[in-house]
Amino acid sequence: MREAYHVELENLATKLADMSVQVADAMERATTAMLDSDLELAEQVISDDTLVDDARADCEEQAYALLALQAPVATDLRVVLAAIHAAESLERMGDLALHVAKAARRRHPDPVLPQDVRKYFSDMGAIAVRLARRTEQVIRTRDVEAARSMEEDDDQVDDIHRHLFSVIMAKDWEHGVPTAVDITLLGRFYERYADHAVSVARRMVFVVTGRMPGYSSAESDAV
């Protein structure tokens, strides 16, 4: 019975890791769609978002069933609780990629971004996708040090996000208010995506150590 139970726990972790792959692919495609004004790719991200939603529902259903039927304790209980929270964060990462794709669709065929900020979003996109792919590995391996090291990439996204405000507030900004609003929202989407990836990694630290790393006020659950 216990062996079968632990197989179920590993299956749950595998589903979370697979969700990480889904949301990494979604943000990678959404960023490309935004930078290249690729409507077809944006539509793919938008249509595939339901798959991420379904994956979260599947993870939560399995987690709640394990809670109800198996009454897990100690480490096993931490795995189930972490899975519930991680599935929520991963689903929100999918939503944030969706928002980027919708921005690309809304502005098509015009570019979403002026040339002078494209590099910032290219960099944030690359870091965000890297964080999501590292999240997959952390879930599969429960590597505490790898989980903790993700904070550095998150800090890079935060730095770029803050710098964008100085760009759009500069006296020589010439792209108008609507573009500044788009950039503000898009920057926030990438910043939140990175925060959620780190949140999932911290849940894995909790699984292994029994202690939840501290959260800053910037890491609320709001999308």
Side-chain angles (χ1 to χ4, degrees), residues 14-86:
T14 297
K15 289 179 179 180
L16 290 172
D18 291 345
M19 277 189 74
S20 298
V21 174
Q22 286 180 294
V23 299
D25 290 345
M27 184 54 91
E28 187 170 50
R29 291 167 182 160
T31 300
T32 300
M34 177 182 64
L35 294 173
D36 296 348
S37 299
D38 188 328
L39 180 60
E40 183 177 351
L41 198 56
E43 293 287 6
Q44 180 183 349
V45 175
I46 292 166
S47 63
D48 285 351
D49 184 62
T50 57
L51 301 177
V52 178
D53 296 340
D54 291 345
R56 174 190 175 178
D58 186 31
C59 285
E60 289 187 341
E61 181 178 355
Q62 183 176 357
Y64 287 129
L66 288 169
L67 283 175
L69 300 177
Q70 301 292 343
V73 295
T75 301
D76 292 347
L77 179 60
R78 294 201 298 270
V79 170
V80 177
L81 294 176
I84 293 170
H85 289 286

Side-chain angles (χ1 to χ4, degrees), residues 133-192:
R133 300 208 186 283
R134 289 176 67 187
T135 297
E136 177 207 355
Q137 293 305 310
V138 166
I139 292 171
R140 294 190 192 279
T141 64
R142 299 183 188 175
D143 185 330
V144 171
E145 292 308 312
R148 289 173 174 159
S149 70
M150 289 172 59
E151 306 268 357
E152 296 176 7
D153 278 345
D154 182 41
D155 288 343
Q156 291 182 47
V157 175
D158 291 341
D159 289 343
I160 298 172
H161 180 235
R162 282 191 295 268
H163 179 68
L164 283 171
F165 286 104
S166 66
V167 173
I168 64 177
M169 296 299 290
K171 291 181 179 180
D172 59 351
W173 177 256
E174 59 182 8
H175 304 292
V177 173
T179 300
V181 171
D182 279 347
I183 289 170
T184 300
L185 290 174
L186 287 163
R188 177 64 172 165
F189 297 154
Y190 283 94
E191 186 262 343
R192 290 302 304 138

